[in-house]
Amino acid sequence: MDELDISILKLLEKSGRLSHEEIGKLLHISRPSVHQRVAKLEKNGIIKGYRGLVDWSRLDQKIKVVISVKVVSRHFQEVAEQIVAMQIPGVTLVECLRMAGEWCMMLKVRVGSPEQITQLIDEMVKIPEVKETSTTFVLSTIYEDGLKGE
């Protein structure tokens, strides 16, 4: 992996829809060279996939919340699986992270109303291994997924 591969990755991170031809023009290399490098990055698992980035502010889930969770650690994996599997109308779990430190897990969630957060937390605390939660409402996003925020 060299600087050219890093440059390709940065361009794809900003816009996964760029064609190999467009990338080649931006980096002053041939389209076949870009194709070969991207194929190798995909084969080696460095590029895990392509996805659309959602502008949540245009949907009914404008509220972003970070929830920290304390879990009985020997049951972490099963608790995480239960939380990820929860289906609460209007609640989108964007990210679930295992943490070191005071909190074991951090969830990034999108909702349309504070009541939906209440529903989510009420369901989480029904899990006996969940010891405590702390909820923080996000005021604005400065930088996320390689892009400037809201």
Side-chain angles (χ1 to χ4, degrees):
M1 181 122 119
D2 60 15
E3 288 298 317
L4 198 49
D5 289 331
I6 299 289
S7 296
I8 291 170
L9 291 171
K10 286 181 179 178
L11 286 172
L12 287 173
E13 190 175 45
K14 285 183 182 176
S15 179
R17 296 186 72 165
L18 282 175
S19 70
H20 292 173
E21 186 171 339
E22 291 169 312
I23 293 170
K25 286 179 182 177
L26 290 167
L27 299 178
H28 309 291
I29 59 174
S30 70
R31 187 201 53 76
S33 178
V34 172
H35 177 76
Q36 180 183 16
R37 286 173 175 269
V38 169
K40 185 177 178 183
L41 292 166
E42 290 171 341
K43 181 182 174 200
N44 291 335
I46 294 167
I47 295 176
K48 297 194 290 186
Y50 301 87
R51 63 187 173 118
L53 295 174
V54 177
D55 183 351
W56 295 98
S57 67
R58 294 181 179 264
L59 299 174
D60 212 16
Q61 294 183 324
K62 295 180 180 183
I63 301 169
K64 184 189 302 184
V65 179
V66 176
I67 303 172
S68 300
V69 185
K70 286 185 185 175
V71 176
V72 175
S73 60
R74 67 181 174 274
H75 298 286
F76 180 87
Q77 192 60 41
E78 63 192 61
V79 171
E81 289 169 8
Q82 289 176 41
I83 291 171
V84 169
M86 286 181 179
Q87 298 291 318
I88 299 169
V91 175
T92 301
L93 176 62
V94 177
E95 202 166 3
C96 176
L97 305 168
R98 186 170 193 163
M99 309 297 289
E102 181 180 354
W103 297 95
C104 307
M105 183 187 307
M106 185 170 59
L107 309 172
K108 186 164 73 172
V109 179
R110 286 286 189 165
V111 297
S113 72
E115 292 79 17
Q116 291 164 324
I117 289 298
T118 302
Q119 284 182 285
L120 174 61
I121 292 169
D122 287 349
E123 288 302 309
M124 286 193 315
V125 298
K126 288 179 184 176
I127 302 169
E129 295 81 12
V130 171
K131 296 192 294 188
E132 187 179 348
T133 66
S134 175
T135 304
T136 304
F137 284 79
V138 175
L139 298 177
S140 65
T141 300
I142 309 303
Y143 188 82
E144 182 177 51
D145 290 323
L147 301 171
K148 289 184 181 177
E150 304 163 345

